[in-house]
Coordinates of all heavy atoms in Angstrom, one line a residue:
M1 N -6.8 -5.6 -18.4 CA -6.0 -5.4 -17.1 C -4.9 -6.5 -16.9 O -5.2 -7.7 -17.3 CB -6.9 -5.5 -15.8 CG -7.8 -4.2 -15.7 SD -6.8 -2.8 -15.2 CE -8.1 -1.9 -14.4
E2 N -3.8 -6.1 -16.5 CA -2.7 -7.0 -16.2 C -2.7 -7.4 -14.8 O -2.9 -6.5 -13.9 CB -1.4 -6.3 -16.6 CG -0.1 -7.2 -16.5 CD 1.1 -6.6 -16.9 OE1 1.0 -5.5 -17.5 OE2 2.1 -7.1 -16.7
K3 N -2.5 -8.6 -14.5 CA -2.3 -9.0 -13.0 C -0.8 -9.1 -12.7 O -0.1 -9.8 -13.4 CB -3.1 -10.2 -12.8 CG -4.4 -10.3 -12.8 CD -5.0 -11.6 -12.3 CE -4.5 -12.9 -12.6 NZ -5.2 -14.2 -12.2
I4 N -0.4 -8.4 -11.6 CA 0.9 -8.4 -11.2 C 1.0 -9.1 -9.7 O 0.3 -8.5 -8.9 CB 1.6 -7.2 -11.2 CG1 1.7 -6.5 -12.7 CG2 3.1 -7.2 -10.6 CD1 2.4 -5.3 -12.8
L5 N 1.7 -10.2 -9.6 CA 1.8 -10.9 -8.2 C 2.5 -10.0 -7.3 O 3.6 -9.4 -7.6 CB 2.6 -12.2 -8.4 CG 2.7 -12.9 -7.2 CD1 1.6 -13.3 -6.5 CD2 3.7 -14.2 -7.4
L6 N 1.9 -9.7 -6.1 CA 2.5 -9.0 -5.1 C 3.0 -9.8 -4.0 O 4.3 -9.6 -3.7 CB 1.6 -8.0 -4.5 CG 0.9 -6.9 -5.4 CD1 0.0 -6.1 -4.7 CD2 2.1 -6.1 -6.0
C7 N 2.3 -10.7 -3.4 CA 2.7 -11.6 -2.3 C 1.7 -12.6 -2.1 O 0.6 -12.7 -2.7 CB 2.9 -10.6 -1.1 SG 1.5 -9.9 -0.5
R8 N 1.9 -13.6 -1.1 CA 0.8 -14.4 -0.6 C 0.1 -13.8 0.4 O 0.6 -12.9 1.3 CB 1.5 -15.7 -0.2 CG 2.6 -16.3 -1.1 CD 1.8 -17.1 -2.1 NE 0.9 -18.1 -1.6 CZ 0.1 -18.8 -2.4 NH1 0.1 -18.6 -3.7 NH2 -0.7 -19.7 -1.8
V9 N -1.2 -14.2 0.6 CA -1.8 -13.7 1.7 C -1.3 -13.9 3.1 O -1.3 -13.1 4.0 CB -3.4 -14.2 1.8 CG1 -4.1 -13.7 0.6 CG2 -3.4 -15.7 1.9
D10 N -0.6 -15.1 3.2 CA 0.0 -15.4 4.5 C 1.3 -14.6 4.8 O 1.9 -14.6 5.9 CB 0.6 -16.9 4.4 CG -0.6 -17.8 4.4 OD1 -1.7 -17.5 4.7 OD2 -0.4 -19.1 4.0
D11 N 1.8 -13.8 3.8 CA 2.9 -12.9 4.0 C 2.7 -11.6 4.9 O 3.6 -11.0 5.2 CB 3.5 -12.5 2.6 CG 4.0 -13.7 1.8 OD1 4.4 -14.7 2.4 OD2 4.2 -13.6 0.6
V12 N 1.3 -11.4 4.8 CA 1.0 -10.0 5.6 C 0.0 -10.4 6.6 O -1.1 -10.8 6.4 CB 0.3 -9.1 4.6 CG1 0.3 -7.7 5.1 CG2 0.8 -9.2 3.2
Y13 N 0.5 -10.2 7.8 CA -0.4 -10.6 9.0 C -1.3 -9.4 9.1 O -1.2 -8.3 8.8 CB 0.5 -10.9 10.3 CG 1.5 -11.8 10.3 CD1 2.8 -11.7 10.1 CD2 0.9 -13.2 10.2 CE1 3.7 -12.8 10.0 CE2 1.9 -14.2 10.0 CZ 3.2 -14.1 9.9 OH 4.1 -15.1 9.9
A14 N -2.5 -9.8 10.0 CA -3.5 -8.7 10.3 C -3.0 -7.6 11.0 O -2.1 -7.8 11.9 CB -4.7 -9.4 11.0
G15 N -3.2 -6.4 10.5 CA -2.7 -5.1 11.1 C -1.5 -4.8 10.8 O -0.8 -3.7 11.3
E16 N -0.9 -5.5 9.8 CA 0.6 -5.3 9.4 C 0.5 -4.8 7.9 O -0.4 -4.8 7.1 CB 1.6 -6.3 9.6 CG 1.4 -6.7 11.1 CD 2.7 -7.6 11.4 OE1 3.3 -8.1 10.6 OE2 2.9 -7.8 12.7
I17 N 1.8 -4.3 7.5 CA 2.1 -3.8 6.2 C 3.4 -4.5 5.6 O 4.4 -4.6 6.3 CB 2.4 -2.3 6.1 CG1 1.5 -1.5 7.0 CG2 2.4 -1.6 4.7 CD1 1.9 -0.1 7.4
L18 N 3.4 -4.9 4.4 CA 4.4 -5.6 3.7 C 4.9 -4.6 2.6 O 4.1 -4.3 1.7 CB 4.0 -7.0 3.3 CG 5.1 -7.7 2.4 CD1 6.2 -8.2 3.4 CD2 4.6 -8.8 1.6
R19 N 6.2 -4.3 2.4 CA 6.8 -3.7 1.3 C 7.1 -4.7 0.3 O 7.7 -5.7 0.6 CB 8.0 -3.0 1.6 CG 8.8 -2.2 0.5 CD 10.1 -1.6 0.9 NE 10.9 -1.2 -0.1 CZ 10.8 0.0 -0.7 NH1 10.0 0.9 -0.3 NH2 11.5 0.4 -1.7
V20 N 6.5 -4.4 -0.9 CA 6.8 -5.4 -2.1 C 7.6 -4.7 -3.2 O 7.1 -3.6 -3.6 CB 5.4 -6.0 -2.6 CG1 5.7 -6.9 -3.8 CG2 4.9 -6.7 -1.6
E21 N 8.7 -5.3 -3.7 CA 9.3 -4.7 -4.8 C 9.2 -5.7 -5.9 O 9.7 -6.8 -5.7 CB 10.8 -4.5 -4.6 CG 10.9 -3.3 -3.4 CD 12.5 -3.0 -3.2 OE1 13.2 -2.9 -4.1 OE2 12.6 -2.8 -2.1
T22 N 8.6 -5.3 -7.0 CA 8.3 -6.3 -8.1 C 8.5 -5.5 -9.4 O 8.3 -4.3 -9.6 CB 6.9 -6.9 -8.0 OG1 6.7 -7.8 -9.0 CG2 5.8 -5.8 -8.2
D23 N 8.8 -6.3 -10.5 CA 9.0 -5.7 -11.8 C 7.8 -5.0 -12.2 O 6.6 -5.6 -12.0 CB 9.4 -6.8 -12.7 CG 10.8 -7.3 -12.6 OD1 11.7 -6.6 -12.0 OD2 11.3 -8.4 -13.2
G24 N 7.9 -3.9 -12.8 CA 6.7 -3.2 -13.5 C 5.9 -2.3 -12.5 O 5.1 -1.6 -13.0
L25 N 6.4 -2.2 -11.3 CA 5.6 -1.2 -10.4 C 6.6 -0.6 -9.6 O 7.7 -1.2 -9.2 CB 4.6 -2.0 -9.5 CG 3.3 -2.7 -10.2 CD1 2.6 -3.4 -9.1 CD2 2.5 -1.6 -10.8
P26 N 6.4 0.6 -9.0 CA 7.2 1.1 -8.0 C 6.9 0.3 -6.8 O 5.9 -0.5 -6.7 CB 6.6 2.6 -8.0 CG 5.3 2.5 -8.4 CD 5.3 1.4 -9.5
P27 N 7.8 0.5 -5.7 CA 7.4 -0.2 -4.3 C 6.1 -0.1 -3.9 O 5.5 1.0 -3.9 CB 8.5 0.4 -3.5 CG 9.6 0.8 -4.5 CD 8.9 1.4 -5.6
V28 N 5.4 -1.1 -3.5 CA 4.1 -1.2 -3.1 C 4.0 -1.6 -1.7 O 4.7 -2.4 -1.1 CB 3.3 -2.2 -3.9 CG1 1.9 -2.5 -3.6 CG2 3.2 -1.9 -5.4
A29 N 3.1 -0.9 -1.0 CA 2.8 -1.2 0.4 C 1.4 -2.1 0.2 O 0.4 -1.7 -0.1 CB 2.6 -0.1 1.3
V30 N 1.5 -3.3 0.9 CA 0.2 -4.2 1.0 C -0.1 -4.2 2.4 O 0.7 -4.5 3.4 CB 0.6 -5.6 0.4 CG1 -0.7 -6.4 0.5 CG2 1.2 -5.6 -1.0
Y31 N -1.3 -3.9 2.6 CA -1.9 -3.8 4.0 C -2.9 -5.0 4.2 O -3.8 -5.3 3.3 CB -2.8 -2.5 4.2 CG -1.9 -1.3 3.8 CD1 -1.9 -0.8 2.5 CD2 -1.4 -0.4 4.8 CE1 -1.2 0.3 2.1 CE2 -0.7 0.8 4.5 CZ -0.7 1.1 3.1 OH 0.0 2.2 2.7
N32 N -2.9 -5.5 5.4 CA -3.9 -6.4 5.8 C -4.8 -5.8 7.0 O -4.3 -5.6 8.0 CB -3.3 -7.7 6.4 CG -4.3 -8.6 7.0 OD1 -5.4 -8.3 7.2 ND2 -3.9 -9.9 6.9
L33 N -6.0 -5.4 6.6 CA -6.8 -4.6 7.6 C -7.9 -5.6 8.0 O -8.9 -5.8 7.4 CB -7.5 -3.3 7.0 CG -6.5 -2.2 6.6 CD1 -7.3 -1.1 6.2 CD2 -5.5 -1.9 7.5
D34 N -7.7 -6.4 9.2 CA -8.6 -7.4 9.6 C -9.0 -8.4 8.5 O -10.1 -8.7 8.4 CB -9.7 -6.7 10.2 CG -9.5 -6.0 11.5 OD1 -8.5 -6.4 12.2 OD2 -10.2 -4.9 11.7
G35 N -8.0 -8.9 7.8 CA -8.4 -9.8 6.8 C -8.7 -9.3 5.4 O -8.8 -10.1 4.5
A36 N -8.9 -8.1 5.3 CA -9.1 -7.3 4.1 C -7.8 -6.7 3.5 O -7.0 -6.0 4.3 CB -10.2 -6.4 4.2
F37 N -7.4 -7.0 2.2 CA -6.2 -6.5 1.7 C -6.3 -5.3 0.8 O -7.2 -5.1 0.0 CB -5.5 -7.6 0.9 CG -5.2 -8.9 1.7 CD1 -6.0 -9.9 2.0 CD2 -3.9 -8.8 2.6 CE1 -5.7 -11.0 2.7 CE2 -3.7 -9.8 3.3 CZ -4.5 -10.9 3.4
F38 N -5.4 -4.3 1.0 CA -5.3 -3.2 0.2 C -3.9 -2.8 -0.1 O -2.9 -3.6 0.5 CB -5.8 -2.0 1.0 CG -7.2 -2.1 1.4 CD1 -7.5 -2.7 2.7 CD2 -8.3 -1.8 0.6 CE1 -8.8 -2.9 3.1 CE2 -9.6 -2.0 1.1 CZ -9.8 -2.5 2.4
A39 N -3.7 -2.1 -1.1 CA -2.2 -1.8 -1.6 C -2.2 -0.3 -2.1 O -3.2 0.1 -2.7 CB -1.8 -2.8 -2.6
T40 N -1.1 0.4 -1.7 CA -0.8 1.7 -2.2 C 0.6 1.7 -2.6 O 1.5 0.8 -2.3 CB -1.0 2.8 -1.1 OG1 -0.1 2.6 0.0 CG2 -2.5 2.5 -0.5
D41 N 1.0 2.9 -3.2 CA 2.4 3.2 -3.3 C 3.0 3.1 -2.0 O 2.5 3.5 -1.0 CB 2.5 4.5 -3.9 CG 2.5 4.7 -5.3 OD1 2.5 3.6 -6.1 OD2 2.1 5.7 -5.9
D42 N 4.3 2.6 -1.9 CA 5.0 2.5 -0.6 C 5.6 3.9 -0.3 O 5.9 4.2 0.9 CB 6.0 1.4 -0.5 CG 6.4 1.2 0.8 OD1 5.6 1.4 1.8 OD2 7.6 0.7 1.1
T43 N 6.0 4.7 -1.3 CA 6.7 5.8 -1.2 C 5.8 7.0 -0.8 O 4.7 7.3 -1.5 CB 7.6 6.3 -2.3 OG1 8.4 5.1 -2.7 CG2 8.4 7.5 -2.1
C44 N 5.9 7.8 0.3 CA 5.1 8.9 0.7 C 5.2 10.0 -0.5 O 6.2 10.3 -1.0 CB 5.6 9.5 1.9 SG 4.6 10.8 2.5
S45 N 4.1 10.6 -0.6 CA 4.1 11.8 -1.7 C 4.6 13.0 -1.2 O 4.8 13.8 -2.0 CB 2.6 12.0 -2.2 OG 1.9 12.5 -1.3
H46 N 5.0 13.1 0.0 CA 5.6 14.3 0.6 C 7.1 14.4 0.4 O 7.6 15.4 0.0 CB 5.2 14.4 2.1 CG 5.8 15.7 2.7 ND1 6.8 15.6 3.7 CD2 5.7 16.8 2.4 CE1 7.0 16.8 4.1 NE2 6.4 17.7 3.3
S47 N 7.7 13.2 0.7 CA 9.2 13.2 0.4 C 9.6 11.7 0.4 O 8.8 10.9 0.0 CB 9.7 13.9 1.7 OG 11.3 14.0 1.5
Q48 N 10.7 11.4 0.8 CA 11.2 9.9 0.6 C 11.2 9.2 1.9 O 12.0 9.2 2.7 CB 12.7 10.0 0.1 CG 12.9 10.4 -1.3 CD 12.2 9.6 -2.3 OE1 12.4 8.4 -2.3 NE2 11.3 10.2 -3.2
A49 N 10.0 8.6 2.2 CA 9.8 7.8 3.3 C 8.9 6.6 2.9 O 8.2 6.7 1.9 CB 9.1 8.5 4.5
W50 N 9.2 5.5 3.5 CA 8.4 4.3 3.1 C 7.1 4.2 4.1 O 7.3 4.0 5.3 CB 9.2 3.0 3.4 CG 10.4 2.9 2.4 CD1 10.6 3.8 1.3 CD2 11.3 1.9 2.5 NE1 11.8 3.3 0.7 CE2 12.2 2.2 1.2 CE3 11.6 0.8 3.2 CZ2 13.3 1.5 1.0 CZ3 12.7 -0.1 2.9 CH2 13.6 0.4 1.7
L51 N 6.0 4.1 3.6 CA 4.7 4.0 4.3 C 4.6 2.6 5.0 O 4.1 2.5 6.0 CB 3.5 4.3 3.4 CG 3.4 5.7 2.8 CD1 2.3 5.8 1.9 CD2 3.4 6.7 4.0
S52 N 5.4 1.6 4.4 CA 5.4 0.3 5.0 C 5.9 0.3 6.5 O 5.9 -0.6 7.3 CB 6.0 -0.8 4.2 OG 7.3 -0.3 3.9
Q53 N 6.8 1.5 6.8 CA 7.3 1.5 8.0 C 6.5 2.6 8.8 O 6.9 3.0 10.0 CB 8.8 2.1 7.9 CG 9.7 1.1 7.3 CD 11.1 1.6 7.1 OE1 11.4 2.8 7.4 NE2 12.0 0.6 6.9
G54 N 5.4 2.9 8.4 CA 4.5 3.8 9.2 C 3.6 3.0 10.1 O 3.8 1.9 10.5
F55 N 2.5 3.8 10.4 CA 1.6 3.3 11.5 C 0.2 3.2 11.0 O -0.3 4.3 10.5 CB 1.7 4.2 12.8 CG 3.2 4.6 13.0 CD1 3.8 5.7 12.6 CD2 3.9 3.5 13.7 CE1 5.0 6.0 13.0 CE2 5.2 3.9 14.0 CZ 5.9 5.1 13.6
I56 N -0.5 2.1 11.2 CA -1.9 2.0 10.7 C -2.8 2.5 12.0 O -2.5 2.1 13.0 CB -2.2 0.6 10.4 CG1 -1.4 0.1 9.2 CG2 -3.9 0.4 10.3 CD1 -1.5 -1.3 8.9
D57 N -3.8 3.3 11.7 CA -4.8 3.8 12.6 C -6.2 3.6 12.0 O -6.5 4.5 11.3 CB -4.5 5.2 13.1 CG -5.5 5.6 14.1 OD1 -6.3 4.8 14.5 OD2 -5.5 6.8 14.4
G58 N -6.8 2.5 12.2 CA -8.0 2.3 11.5 C -7.9 2.1 10.0 O -7.0 1.1 9.6
D59 N -8.3 2.9 9.2 CA -8.1 2.9 7.7 C -7.2 3.9 7.2 O -7.1 4.2 6.0 CB -9.3 2.7 6.9 CG -10.2 3.9 7.1 OD1 -9.8 4.8 7.9 OD2 -11.2 4.0 6.5
I60 N -6.3 4.4 8.2 CA -5.4 5.4 7.9 C -4.0 5.0 7.9 O -3.6 4.2 9.0 CB -5.7 6.7 8.8 CG1 -7.0 7.3 8.7 CG2 -4.6 7.8 8.6 CD1 -7.4 7.8 7.4
I61 N -3.1 5.4 7.1 CA -1.6 5.1 7.3 C -0.9 6.4 7.7 O -1.1 7.4 6.9 CB -0.9 4.4 6.0 CG1 0.5 4.2 6.2 CG2 -1.3 5.1 4.8 CD1 0.8 3.2 7.4
E62 N -0.1 6.4 8.6 CA 0.6 7.6 9.0 C 2.1 7.3 8.7 O 2.6 6.4 9.0 CB 0.5 7.8 10.6 CG 1.3 9.0 11.1 CD 1.2 9.2 12.7 OE1 0.5 8.7 13.3 OE2 2.2 9.9 13.1
C63 N 2.5 8.4 7.9 CA 3.9 8.3 7.4 C 4.9 8.5 8.7 O 4.6 9.3 9.6 CB 4.2 9.4 6.4 SG 6.0 9.5 5.9
P64 N 5.9 7.6 8.6 CA 6.8 7.7 9.8 C 7.8 8.9 9.9 O 8.4 9.2 10.9 CB 7.7 6.3 9.6 CG 7.6 6.0 8.1 CD 6.3 6.7 7.5
L65 N 7.9 9.7 8.8 CA 8.9 10.8 8.7 C 8.3 12.0 9.4 O 8.8 12.7 10.2 CB 9.4 11.0 7.3 CG 10.6 11.8 7.2 CD1 11.7 11.2 8.1 CD2 11.1 11.8 5.7
H66 N 7.2 12.5 8.8 CA 6.6 13.8 9.3 C 5.2 13.7 9.6 O 4.5 14.7 10.1 CB 6.6 14.8 8.1 CG 7.9 15.0 7.5 ND1 8.3 14.7 6.2 CD2 9.1 15.5 8.1 CE1 9.5 14.9 6.0 NE2 10.0 15.4 7.1
G67 N 4.7 12.4 9.8 CA 3.3 12.3 10.4 C 2.2 12.6 9.5 O 1.1 12.5 9.9
G68 N 2.5 12.8 8.2 CA 1.3 13.0 7.3 C 0.5 11.6 7.2 O 1.0 10.6 7.4
C69 N -0.8 11.7 6.6 CA -1.7 10.6 6.7 C -2.4 10.5 5.4 O -2.7 11.5 4.7 CB -2.6 10.6 7.8 SG -1.9 10.5 9.4
F70 N -2.7 9.2 5.1 CA -3.5 8.8 3.8 C -4.6 7.8 4.3 O -4.2 7.0 5.2 CB -2.5 8.3 2.7 CG -1.4 9.0 2.2 CD1 -0.1 9.0 2.9 CD2 -1.5 9.9 1.2 CE1 0.9 9.8 2.6 CE2 -0.4 10.8 0.8 CZ 0.7 10.7 1.5
E71 N -5.6 8.0 3.4 CA -6.6 6.9 3.6 C -6.2 5.7 2.8 O -5.8 5.8 1.5 CB -7.9 7.5 2.9 CG -9.2 6.7 3.4 CD -10.4 7.4 2.7 OE1 -10.5 7.5 1.5 OE2 -11.1 8.0 3.6
I72 N -6.0 4.6 3.5 CA -5.4 3.4 2.8 C -6.2 2.9 1.6 O -5.7 2.5 0.6 CB -5.3 2.2 3.9 CG1 -4.3 2.7 5.0 CG2 -4.9 1.0 3.1 CD1 -4.2 1.7 6.1
K73 N -7.5 3.0 1.7 CA -8.3 2.4 0.6 C -8.4 3.3 -0.7 O -8.7 2.8 -1.7 CB -9.8 2.3 1.1 CG -10.0 1.3 2.3 CD -11.4 1.2 2.9 CE -11.4 0.2 4.1 NZ -12.7 0.2 4.7
T74 N -8.0 4.6 -0.5 CA -8.1 5.4 -1.6 C -6.8 6.0 -2.0 O -6.6 6.6 -3.1 CB -9.2 6.6 -1.4 OG1 -8.7 7.4 -0.3 CG2 -10.4 6.1 -1.0
G75 N -5.9 6.2 -1.1 CA -4.7 7.0 -1.3 C -4.8 8.3 -1.1 O -3.7 9.2 -1.5
Q76 N -6.0 8.9 -0.7 CA -6.1 10.3 -0.5 C -5.4 10.8 0.7 O -5.5 10.2 1.8 CB -7.6 10.6 -0.6 CG -8.3 10.4 -1.9 CD -7.7 11.4 -3.0 OE1 -7.5 12.6 -2.8 NE2 -7.5 10.7 -4.1
P77 N -4.7 12.0 0.6 CA -4.1 12.5 1.8 C -5.3 13.1 2.7 O -6.2 13.7 2.4 CB -3.3 13.8 1.2 CG -3.9 14.1 0.0 CD -4.6 12.9 -0.5
V78 N -5.0 12.9 4.0 CA -6.0 13.4 5.0 C -5.3 14.1 6.2 O -6.0 14.5 7.1 CB -6.8 12.2 5.6 CG1 -7.7 11.5 4.5 CG2 -5.9 11.1 6.2
E79 N -4.0 14.3 6.1 CA -3.4 14.9 7.2 C -2.1 15.6 6.6 O -1.4 14.9 5.9 CB -2.9 14.0 8.3 CG -2.5 14.6 9.5 CD -3.4 15.4 10.4 OE1 -4.6 14.9 10.4 OE2 -3.0 16.3 11.1
P80 N -1.9 16.9 6.8 CA -0.6 17.5 6.3 C 0.6 17.0 7.1 O 0.4 16.4 8.2 CB -1.0 19.0 6.6 CG -2.0 19.2 7.6 CD -2.7 17.8 7.5
P81 N 1.6 17.0 6.5 CA 2.0 17.9 5.2 C 1.7 17.2 4.0 O 2.0 17.7 2.9 CB 3.6 18.1 5.4 CG 4.0 16.9 6.0 CD 3.0 16.5 7.1
C82 N 1.0 16.1 3.9 CA 0.7 15.3 2.6 C -0.5 16.1 2.0 O -1.5 16.4 2.6 CB 0.4 13.9 3.0 SG 1.9 13.1 3.7
T83 N -0.2 16.4 0.7 CA -1.3 17.1 -0.1 C -1.5 16.4 -1.3 O -2.7 16.5 -2.0 CB -1.0 18.5 -0.3 OG1 0.3 18.6 -1.0 CG2 -0.9 19.4 1.1
E84 N -0.6 15.6 -1.9 CA -0.7 14.9 -3.1 C -1.2 13.4 -2.7 O -0.5 12.8 -1.9 CB 0.6 14.8 -3.9 CG 1.0 16.2 -4.3 CD 0.1 16.8 -5.3 OE1 -0.5 16.1 -6.1 OE2 -0.3 18.0 -5.2
P85 N -2.1 12.9 -3.5 CA -2.5 11.5 -3.2 C -1.4 10.4 -3.6 O -0.5 10.8 -4.4 CB -3.7 11.2 -4.1 CG -3.7 12.3 -5.1 CD -3.0 13.5 -4.5
I86 N -1.5 9.3 -3.1 CA -0.6 8.2 -3.5 C -1.5 7.2 -4.3 O -2.7 7.3 -4.1 CB 0.1 7.4 -2.4 CG1 -0.9 7.1 -1.3 CG2 1.1 8.4 -1.8 CD1 -0.4 6.3 -0.2
R87 N -1.0 6.4 -5.1 CA -1.7 5.5 -5.9 C -2.2 4.4 -5.1 O -1.4 3.8 -4.3 CB -0.8 4.9 -7.1 CG -1.5 4.0 -8.0 CD -0.6 3.5 -9.0 NE -1.2 2.8 -10.0 CZ -0.6 2.1 -11.1 NH1 0.7 2.3 -11.3 NH2 -1.3 1.4 -11.9
S88 N -3.5 4.0 -5.2 CA -4.0 2.9 -4.6 C -4.3 1.9 -5.6 O -4.8 2.2 -6.8 CB -5.2 3.1 -3.8 OG -6.2 3.7 -4.6
Y89 N -4.1 0.6 -5.4 CA -4.2 -0.4 -6.5 C -5.4 -1.2 -6.2 O -5.8 -1.5 -5.0 CB -3.1 -1.3 -6.3 CG -1.7 -0.7 -6.8 CD1 -1.0 -0.1 -5.8 CD2 -1.4 -0.7 -8.0 CE1 0.3 0.5 -6.2 CE2 -0.1 -0.1 -8.5 CZ 0.7 0.5 -7.5 OH 1.8 1.1 -7.9
D90 N -6.1 -1.7 -7.4 CA -7.2 -2.7 -7.3 C -6.5 -4.0 -7.1 O -5.5 -4.3 -7.8 CB -8.0 -2.6 -8.6 CG -8.9 -1.3 -8.7 OD1 -9.3 -0.8 -7.6 OD2 -9.1 -0.9 -9.8
L91 N -7.0 -4.9 -6.3 CA -6.5 -6.2 -5.9 C -7.4 -7.2 -6.4 O -8.6 -7.0 -6.3 CB -6.0 -6.2 -4.5 CG -5.0 -5.2 -4.0 CD1 -4.9 -5.5 -2.5 CD2 -3.7 -5.1 -4.8
V92 N -6.8 -8.4 -6.6 CA -7.6 -9.6 -6.8 C -6.8 -10.6 -5.9 O -5.5 -10.7 -6.0 CB -7.8 -10.0 -8.0 CG1 -6.5 -10.3 -8.9 CG2 -8.8 -11.1 -8.1
V93 N -7.6 -11.5 -5.2 CA -6.9 -12.6 -4.4 C -7.3 -13.9 -5.0 O -8.7 -14.1 -5.2 CB -7.4 -12.6 -3.0 CG1 -6.7 -13.8 -2.3 CG2 -6.9 -11.2 -2.3
E94 N -6.4 -14.7 -5.5 CA -6.6 -15.9 -6.2 C -5.7 -17.0 -5.5 O -4.4 -16.8 -5.5 CB -6.5 -15.8 -7.7 CG -7.5 -15.0 -8.4 CD -7.4 -15.0 -9.8 OE1 -6.2 -15.5 -10.3 OE2 -8.1 -14.3 -10.5
D95 N -6.3 -18.1 -5.1 CA -5.4 -19.3 -4.6 C -4.3 -18.9 -3.7 O -3.2 -19.3 -3.7 CB -4.7 -19.9 -5.9 CG -5.8 -20.5 -6.8 OD1 -6.9 -20.9 -6.3 OD2 -5.5 -20.6 -8.1
G96 N -4.8 -18.0 -2.8 CA -3.9 -17.5 -1.6 C -2.9 -16.6 -2.0 O -2.0 -16.2 -1.3
A97 N -2.9 -16.0 -3.3 CA -2.0 -14.9 -3.8 C -2.7 -13.6 -4.0 O -4.0 -13.6 -4.4 CB -1.2 -15.4 -5.0
I98 N -2.0 -12.6 -3.8 CA -2.5 -11.1 -4.0 C -1.9 -10.6 -5.2 O -0.7 -10.5 -5.4 CB -2.3 -10.2 -2.8 CG1 -2.8 -11.0 -1.5 CG2 -2.9 -8.9 -2.9 CD1 -2.4 -10.3 -0.2
Y99 N -2.7 -10.2 -6.2 CA -2.3 -9.5 -7.4 C -2.9 -8.1 -7.4 O -4.0 -7.8 -7.1 CB -2.8 -10.3 -8.5 CG -2.4 -11.7 -8.7 CD1 -3.2 -12.7 -8.0 CD2 -1.3 -12.2 -9.4 CE1 -2.9 -14.1 -8.2 CE2 -1.0 -13.4 -9.6 CZ -1.7 -14.5 -8.9 OH -1.3 -15.8 -9.0
A100 N -2.0 -7.2 -8.0 CA -2.4 -5.9 -8.3 C -2.9 -6.0 -9.8 O -2.3 -6.6 -10.8 CB -1.3 -4.9 -8.3
L101 N -4.1 -5.2 -10.0 CA -4.7 -5.1 -11.4 C -4.2 -3.7 -11.9 O -4.6 -2.7 -11.4 CB -6.2 -5.1 -11.3 CG -6.7 -6.5 -10.8 CD1 -8.2 -6.3 -10.8 CD2 -6.3 -7.5 -11.8
V102 N -3.5 -3.7 -13.1 CA -3.0 -2.5 -13.6 C -3.2 -2.5 -15.2 O -3.3 -3.6 -15.8 CB -1.5 -2.3 -13.3 CG1 -1.2 -2.3 -11.8 CG2 -0.7 -3.5 -13.9
E103 N -3.2 -1.3 -15.6 CA -3.4 -1.1 -17.1 C -2.1 -1.6 -17.8 O -1.0 -1.3 -17.2 CB -3.7 0.4 -17.4 CG -4.9 0.9 -16.9 CD -6.1 0.5 -17.7 OE1 -5.9 -0.3 -18.8 OE2 -7.3 0.5 -17.1
P104 N -2.1 -2.3 -18.7 CA -0.9 -2.9 -19.4 C -0.2 -1.8 -20.0 O -0.7 -0.7 -20.2 CB -1.3 -3.8 -20.5 CG -2.8 -3.8 -20.6 CD -3.3 -2.9 -19.5
Ligands
LIG201 S1 7.8 12.0 3.9 FE1 5.8 11.4 4.5 S2 4.9 13.1 5.6 FE2 6.9 13.8 4.9

């Protein structure tokens, strides 16, 4: 697995989402759910909207454009019009930094 630096833990406050643009990945949304970090694609699978501008409800992210929803931990769609999953990333936190684990 390759580790790709996304951000520092201090960059994402509890209950918030950070959009990260980094080499080697499409834009990523990093979520802080009460101190636990998760990451998904930032682009909604329904159309062109950024989930980092959406709304967290528990462990669900609601897209700001048409209100479709995904499970943050898995990327699975849970509310139409979203029917295609988004990618969710395995993360590792080391020395205050958050990395995505991806296949090289
Ligand atoms: S673009 Fe996200 S629900 Fe339509």
Side-chain angles (χ1 to χ4, degrees):
M1 287 286 202
E2 181 181 355
K3 285 193 322 188
I4 297 181
L5 177 63
L6 296 177
C7 61
R8 309 280 307 168
V9 296
D10 295 343
D11 295 336
V12 197
Y13 298 111
E16 296 197 348
I17 316 166
L18 178 70
R19 176 181 168 91
V20 174
E21 297 185 36
T22 186
D23 287 344
L25 293 176
V28 175
V30 180
Y31 307 81
N32 179 339
L33 302 185
D34 293 328
F37 295 95
F38 301 92
T40 68
D41 283 338
D42 193 30
T43 306
C44 183
S45 62
H46 178 240
S47 188
Q48 291 296 313
W50 293 357
L51 296 173
S52 56
Q53 295 183 346
F55 314 99
I56 294 174
D57 182 8
D59 60 356
I60 301 296
I61 178 65
E62 179 182 338
C63 178
L65 192 53
H66 305 115
C69 294
F70 301 90
E71 203 174 63
I72 292 169
K73 295 175 182 173
T74 65
Q76 291 299 312
V78 293
E79 185 73 31
C82 301
T83 57
E84 296 294 322
I86 52 173
R87 182 176 181 182
S88 68
Y89 293 90
D90 291 328
L91 302 181
V92 62
V93 178
E94 287 179 2
D95 298 327
I98 302 171
Y99 298 85
L101 297 176
V102 298
E103 296 289 343

